[in-house]
Amino acid sequence: MDYIIEMLGITKEFPGIIANDNVNLQVKKGEIHALLGENGAGKSTLMSVLFGLYQPEKGCIKLKGREVKITGPLYANELGIGMVHQHFKLVHNFTVLQNIVLGMETVRGGFLQMKEAREKILALSEKYNLAVDPDAFISDITVGMQQRVEILKMLYRDNEILILDEPTAVLTPQEIEELMHVMRGLAKEGKSIIFITHKLNEIKAVADRCTVLRRGKCIDTVSVPETDKETLSEMMVGRKVNLLLDKKEAKPAEAVLQVSDLTVRAKHEGHTRDIVKKVSFTVRKGEIVCIAGIDGNGQSELIHAITGLSHTDSGRVIINGVDMTQKSVRFKNTHGLSHIPEDRHKYGLVLDYSLAENLVLQEYFEPGFQNKGFIRFEKVKEHGKRLIEEFDIRSGQGVNTLTRSMSGGNQQKVIVAREIARNPELLIAVQPTRGLDVGAIEFIHNQIVKQRDNGCAVLLVSLELDEVMNLSDRILVIYEGEITADLNPKEITVQELGLYMSGSKKGVVNKHEE
Amino acid sequence: MKNKGIKIKKSDFGFLSSLFAVFVGLLFGFIILLCSNASQAVPGFLTILTGALTHGNKGAGQVFYYATPIILTGLSVGFAFKTGLFNIGATGQFIAGSFAAVVVGLTLPSLGAVHWTVALLASAAAGAVWGAVPGILKAFFNVNEVISSIMMNYIGLYAVNFTVKGSKTLFDSLRNQSLPLPESSHIPKMGLNLLFPDSSVNGGIFIAVLAALVIYIILNKTTFGFELKAVGFNRNASKYAGINEKKSIILSMVIAGALAGMAGGLLYLAGSGKHIEVVDVLPAEGFTGISVALLGLSNPLGIVLAGLFIAHITSGGFYLQLFEFSTEIIDIIVAVIIYFSAFSLIIRLLFSKISKGRGEVKNHE
């Protein structure tokens, strides 16, 4: 059988961890090959090796049967390997056209020849159904459109092997549908696609074959149509995974969080706009309330206002009967509020602190961890060791591991461990499983349900419809800064929820439920 | 982990890379000596290394005297750096501190025994105020502290020159400098005059080392230091964790300013005949502090060693004139050293590769 690209016996080590251990990956021409694995399983490392960002300690890469040594991304590009990174690499104040030709400009006599480039791009976008406006600025277009630009960038360079690193993480359900369609079209035209993901639905929907990695080792390569989801997830995690969350009926008790008429106004260059408009809702003890909505409809601002990270323009936030609208973050944190923030790198962690230090980030000032202003490092480490054990946090060097060096999933576990270990009365979890694999998602979901059953009030914000449907006891839909529906997840379908989220349907919201 | 060869700990790489930078700097200095006058290069080079001790204990005392202010300005820069701020304004804070020390020294001789203490505290306070301004601007208006503290350097310089010149109680119009300070404002010798007779050394060196110790403890052992470093690493996460990040930024700059201010105080209260000269030149101690902090890798104890080393070769450099070399060669050597300590990351990588090549385990932590 002839493969277009083969990675044979790849081994790559980092201090304290073997990221890839004798991994094989063989991709046929014109196929969509999924690369499945948990966080930290070594998918990104393997792709970085293929893209020339890392040099493997052992193993070789063969392109069309011929051995090649990929020394860097530029050379990878020359060989026809292109990659769309999970976080797009686009210049925001350049137009779509400029971004696509960047680095490959046609120049005649020192002058840019944009006309030819434009024609080529328009032809490509027509051929592969990738609608873009070549003159729009990147900062003005949607995330889905930006992704199309990234794909066009690869096509413009005549790449034959396309690597898509978790391409669906940032997309809405409709955009995902569209992307799948594009991927099929590309494969039909003879392009080979390596599709990195941990979403089993998407693999089943689009991939031909699938290579599974687990803890740096290559488990197997299987044909997707002949393998069911349960088997795939078992291969990935190494044990049976319950794909459906097993949870008991909620027993909501008294109100813990009461938000009334909350308004947040954005001030940008003179003109103001209400991002959160007179939002009112209640979260009670023992229930999980989910705020569902498409990204950018005011979720972040609402949560920041509740937690105290940003200002509130009007309205009130009452936690456990105390008006906390104007209280400091520290006051809220020490009075029953725990917060799993949406951006773990920006808010959740001090990446240059050790694992143990990050685990006490909300508690280092408590008497147990300090004495007259001096930190009791032995207690901090003890606490760290306990949580590492309890939450199965994996790292290279235990409590002393630099948090920056950990995988995303384990970083998220650090935050979840820290916030849950404080026994909160109100847990605010914003996209707690963003970018995580099924094993970690299952774990975090179970932890959240456990908190609920212990009488904690949970406010969840999620963009993942599966998560919303699975986890919540009540769904509040947010659209353009307003709560437009109050739904029972048992009574609606995913499609209906999608309609509410896109604003094409509005429900009745009981504004005065207390 | 048993090793037959030399065991290199990760934490030692920093120290080794600084030593390496020093070595390269000296080597470079030697090459310059060779180029300018080959026949005198070897004795010239030996003078750089040992010149400071030409006059025995007196020379050693001078080294401590020179080291005192640059250790403190080094601490000022290094401390700010550890908390995520680049305090290029140590110079201005140094000037403010000097001025406060001179004012208290000349106007309050009635204080008697506590005169020098009050003058020194005044210098720290003035430095703190000078540091607070960029801190406040950074915390509330997100003004880059590099720019605002450079401005504060010049504001300090000209404001002090203007005030000294305009004041009858401070200004010696014959010599165009501030009047000499009374004996009661001088830092006590604390017994060092017995060890190092005839030198200008005084208790200031103890104060500088004590300051380094205090800063080390604050940064590594206290919740306060934990907060300051957290804000330096990630302002958003600190805010999320309930740390008052504005307060932390301002306090970092206040402490850095107080250290640099104290450097000014200790130098002008040394009783070695230093006066505020009314010239439009920024004093060198502030910028030397940046070099000291870089060479000491912002570690308070490293800064003490780096300060002593730079003071040592600087005072050795004076004797270069005996061999008809110019003393500027020392500045070049220091510059090369700093250049290479800035490369410390590369050098650290080099060391870790060497130790890996010997089949040793990289991470001992």
Side-chain angles (χ1 to χ4, degrees):
Chain A
M1 219 180 296
D2 47 331
Y3 296 105
I4 183 154
I5 191 106
E6 290 175 274
M7 300 180 78
L8 302 171
I10 301 290
T11 300
K12 177 75 201 163
E13 278 178 58
F14 291 111
I17 200 159
I18 302 177
N20 286 152
D21 186 1
N22 198 15
V23 174
N24 294 320
L25 175 73
Q26 296 171 309
V27 182
K28 290 181 205 164
K29 189 171 167 60
E31 79 167 342
I32 299 178
H33 193 112
L35 189 57
L36 176 68
E38 287 186 285
N39 286 296
K43 295 172 303 207
S44 301
T45 310
L46 188 66
M47 286 306 107
S48 299
V49 167
L50 181 58
F51 204 51
L53 294 167
Y54 294 138
Q55 294 305 320
E57 266 94 47
K58 272 183 226 147
C60 69
I61 300 171
K62 284 183 182 172
L63 186 79
K64 294 172 187 156
R66 191 168 51 87
E67 192 173 331
V68 287
K69 191 169 159 48
I70 299 173
T71 47
L74 283 177
Y75 188 56
N77 246 318
E78 241 172 78
L79 294 173
I81 302 170
M83 182 160 177
V84 177
H85 295 267
Q86 193 175 355
H87 302 282
F88 303 149
K89 316 255 182 224
L90 295 170
V91 184
H92 277 240
N93 50 354
F94 270 22
T95 64
V96 168
L97 177 65
Q98 287 167 331
N99 264 287
I100 293 174
V101 298
L102 190 65
M104 277 219 25
E105 304 87 350
T106 324
V107 180
R108 200 165 297 149
F111 290 96
L112 279 174
Q113 301 295 317
M114 291 305 245
K115 211 172 145 221
E116 289 163 31
R118 181 188 297 268
E119 278 161 15
K120 186 173 172 186
I121 289 163
L122 287 177
L124 283 171
S125 94
E126 186 136 335
K127 184 172 169 192
Y128 294 106
N129 251 327
L130 291 158
V132 290
D133 171 7
D135 298 312
F137 284 98
I138 296 296
S139 49
D140 297 337
I141 62 178
T142 63
V143 181
M145 188 100 75
Q146 292 180 10
Q147 188 164 53
R148 271 177 249 157
V149 175
E150 283 279 14
I151 295 174
L152 274 173
K153 228 163 100 181
M154 295 194 296
L155 297 173
Y156 184 77
R157 284 156 179 70
D158 298 319
N159 288 330
E160 289 298 318
I161 299 152
L162 315 179
I163 307 169
L164 301 175
D165 188 1
E166 308 212 0
T168 57
V170 288
L171 303 183
T172 63
Q174 283 75 14
E175 285 173 320
I176 292 176
E177 201 55 46
E178 232 173 274
L179 175 71
M180 301 275 165
H181 186 67
V182 169
M183 282 168 69
R184 282 189 210 106
L186 287 166
K188 207 179 281 169
E189 291 289 332
K191 308 267 182 202
S192 313
I193 298 174
I194 302 177
F195 176 38
I196 305 176
T197 186
H198 41 239
K199 290 184 188 161
L200 299 166
N201 289 334
E202 293 166 7
I203 293 184
K204 285 300 279 181
V206 78
D208 302 311
R209 294 196 308 147
C210 174
T211 296
V212 185
L213 294 185
R214 186 168 77 224
R215 297 205 184 186
K217 289 203 175 70
C218 180
I219 301 303
D220 201 358
T221 299
V222 295
S223 157
V224 173
E226 291 158 25
T227 318
D228 58 16
K229 274 201 272 183
E230 282 68 28
T231 320
L232 281 175
S233 69
E234 206 183 317
M235 283 168 68
M236 165 164 81
V237 185
R239 63 184 160 82
K240 280 227 181 299
V241 179
N242 198 351
L243 290 177
L244 277 176
L245 190 67
D246 177 31
K247 74 176 164 89
K248 283 179 285 203
E249 196 65 26
K251 294 187 205 78
E254 67 270 24
V256 174
L257 171 69
Q258 289 161 284
V259 175
S260 51
D261 290 328
L262 190 71
T263 301
V264 179
R265 208 162 290 144
K267 295 172 191 72
H268 272 303
E269 289 154 11
H271 57 92
T272 57
R273 184 169 67 90
D274 285 353
I275 303 178
V276 177
K277 298 168 196 159
K278 286 192 167 266
V279 165
S280 303
F281 64 89
T282 306
V283 184
R284 289 163 295 176
K285 227 175 147 129
E287 71 170 345
I288 300 174
V289 174
C290 179
I291 295 184
I294 295 167
D295 200 10
N297 273 290
Q299 297 95 321
S300 308
E301 289 78 7
L302 172 63
I303 296 302
H304 282 186
I306 295 174
T307 55
L309 278 173
S310 67
H311 68 285
T312 325
D313 287 287
S314 64
R316 290 201 302 161
V317 176
I318 296 169
I319 300 173
N320 271 336
V322 184
D323 187 342
M324 295 209 185
T325 323
Q326 301 300 335
K327 292 281 193 256
S328 70
V329 180
R330 176 62 52 89
F331 184 88
K332 289 176 182 173
N333 284 351
T334 48
H335 289 77
L337 172 72
S338 267
H339 175 201
I340 300 171
E342 64 173 319
D343 189 331
R344 55 180 167 257
H345 289 172
K346 190 170 175 192
Y347 289 102
L349 298 165
V350 177
L351 289 173
D352 294 298
Y353 268 175
S354 74
L355 180 46
E357 286 171 322
N358 267 302
L359 283 168
V360 292
L361 202 56
Q362 301 272 28
E363 287 178 294
Y364 64 91
F365 49 85
E366 301 281 2
F369 297 113
Q370 59 109 358
N371 185 15
K372 298 188 182 77
F374 287 87
I375 293 185
R376 299 166 73 182
F377 282 100
E378 76 288 1
K379 295 275 176 207
V380 170
K381 288 195 173 164
E382 245 169 61
H383 175 78
K385 278 181 190 145
R386 214 185 62 232
L387 291 187
I388 286 175
E389 184 90 8
E390 206 173 307
F391 288 81
D392 187 30
I393 301 165
R394 291 174 207 161
S395 61
Q397 292 136 359
V399 284
N400 296 320
T401 315
L402 195 65
T403 317
R404 187 183 289 286
S405 69
M406 295 167 60
S407 73
N410 281 304
Q411 288 177 344
Q412 187 70 14
K413 277 188 182 174
V414 174
I415 299 174
V416 171
R418 178 181 71 210
E419 298 306 316
I420 285 181
R422 287 161 55 215
N423 291 323
E425 286 165 85
L426 171 64
L427 174 65
I428 296 184
V430 187
Q431 299 203 55
T433 59
R434 183 190 214 172
L436 301 193
D437 53 75
V438 282
I441 290 175
E442 185 196 24
F443 178 82
I444 288 174
H445 282 176
N446 282 333
Q447 288 294 336
I448 291 176
V449 173
K450 201 166 116 195
Q451 286 300 308
R452 181 202 74 171
D453 292 344
N454 289 345
C456 176
V458 181
L459 179 64
L460 175 77
V461 177
S462 182
L463 306 175
E464 309 258 357
L465 288 179
D466 284 346
E467 181 166 85
V468 174
M469 297 299 281
N470 244 332
L471 201 54
S472 48
D473 299 313
R474 205 145 63 82
I475 301 173
L476 301 172
V477 179
I478 190 165
Y479 177 71
E480 293 197 333
E482 282 176 286
I483 302 283
T484 54
D486 184 342
L487 309 165
N488 183 338
K490 291 198 189 76
E491 292 164 7
I492 58 154
T493 62
V494 179
Q495 283 71 24
E496 261 180 285
L497 182 58
L499 290 177
Y500 280 109
M501 282 164 63
S502 59
S504 31
K505 205 169 167 186
K506 285 195 181 184
V508 190
V509 185
N510 189 359
K511 289 225 169 181
H512 303 282
E513 47 187 295
E514 67 261 54
Chain B
M1 268 161 266
K2 283 179 184 172
N3 296 309
K4 279 174 192 157
I6 310 155
K7 189 158 140 187
I8 300 176
K9 277 193 192 169
K10 201 177 177 186
S11 52
D12 291 340
F13 287 152
F15 181 66
L16 281 178
S17 66
S18 288
L19 270 190
F20 183 72
V22 166
F23 175 75
V24 175
L26 289 174
L27 192 74
F28 198 83
F30 183 60
I31 293 171
I32 291 177
L33 292 181
L34 272 178
C35 293
S36 49
N37 186 353
S39 61
Q40 298 279 33
V42 173
F45 189 67
L46 289 177
T47 302
I48 293 175
L49 292 181
T50 60
L53 307 173
T54 311
H55 295 287
N57 285 354
K58 180 192 171 193
Q62 285 306 101
V63 170
F64 287 124
Y65 166 70
Y66 292 130
T68 305
I70 61 175
I71 287 175
L72 279 166
T73 50
L75 278 176
S76 167
V77 176
F79 175 78
F81 194 69
K82 283 263 174 185
T83 59
L85 298 162
F86 187 25
N87 179 23
I88 205 168
T91 308
Q93 295 142 16
F94 175 90
I95 294 171
S98 324
F99 176 71
V102 168
V103 169
V104 174
L106 286 173
T107 55
L108 298 170
S110 53
L111 288 168
V114 293
H115 189 191
W116 70 271
T117 326
V118 174
L120 188 61
L121 289 177
S123 71
V129 169
W130 228 248
V133 176
I136 290 167
L137 290 174
K138 167 102 175 172
F140 288 99
F141 307 106
N142 213 10
V143 175
N144 191 317
E145 76 279 8
V146 172
I147 293 166
S148 52
S149 58
I150 289 180
M151 304 277 219
M152 292 302 283
N153 286 348
Y154 288 100
I155 296 172
L157 174 70
Y158 292 116
V160 166
N161 281 353
F162 171 78
T163 321
V164 168
K165 210 166 181 176
S167 157
K168 284 203 175 84
T169 44
L170 303 177
F171 192 53
D172 181 346
S173 54
L174 275 177
R175 296 196 172 85
N176 197 31
Q177 63 187 24
S178 62
L179 287 161
L181 297 182
E183 190 85 16
S184 62
S185 67
H186 293 175
I187 309 280
K189 296 283 185 191
M190 299 191 191
L192 287 170
N193 52 338
L194 304 174
L195 269 176
F196 307 106
D198 301 329
S199 76
S200 310
V201 70
N202 56 58
I205 186 71
F206 290 135
I207 295 173
V209 172
L210 190 71
L213 217 61
V214 170
I215 292 299
Y216 178 82
I217 290 169
I218 288 180
L219 279 176
N220 294 304
K221 304 285 176 201
T222 65
T223 51
F224 179 51
F226 186 84
E227 291 184 354
L228 294 182
K229 282 190 293 177
V231 173
F233 284 134
N234 187 343
R235 197 171 161 179
N236 286 316
S238 307
K239 193 175 173 188
Y240 155 83
I243 296 169
N244 188 337
E245 94 285 10
K246 290 192 170 73
K247 191 175 112 192
S248 290
I249 289 172
I250 295 169
L251 282 178
S252 280
M253 282 306 290
V254 163
I255 292 172
L259 288 166
M262 224 154 66
L266 285 181
L267 185 62
Y268 285 84
L269 298 172
S272 56
K274 258 291 213 185
H275 304 275
I276 295 182
E277 289 168 37
V278 182
V279 286
D280 295 345
V281 179
L282 290 171
E285 282 83 356
F287 292 115
T288 310
I290 299 176
S291 311
V292 171
L294 277 171
L295 184 61
L297 299 171
S298 300
N299 177 325
L301 309 178
I303 285 169
V304 172
L305 294 180
L308 286 172
F309 172 75
I310 289 183
H312 176 80
I313 61 166
T314 309
S315 62
F318 293 140
Y319 295 96
L320 270 184
Q321 292 166 59
L322 294 175
F323 303 97
E324 292 170 5
F325 289 116
S326 61
T327 51
E328 277 79 9
I329 286 178
I330 294 302
D331 292 332
I332 295 176
I333 293 177
V334 172
V336 173
I337 290 172
I338 298 320
Y339 217 75
F340 274 84
S341 16
F343 283 150
S344 64
L345 201 70
I346 297 173
I347 295 165
R348 252 181 267 187
L349 272 176
L350 203 79
F351 277 120
S352 67
K353 266 209 172 142
I354 293 170
S355 74
K356 203 177 156 196
R358 286 187 191 145
E360 287 172 17
V361 183
K362 270 205 284 186
N363 298 286
H364 285 259
E365 275 181 295

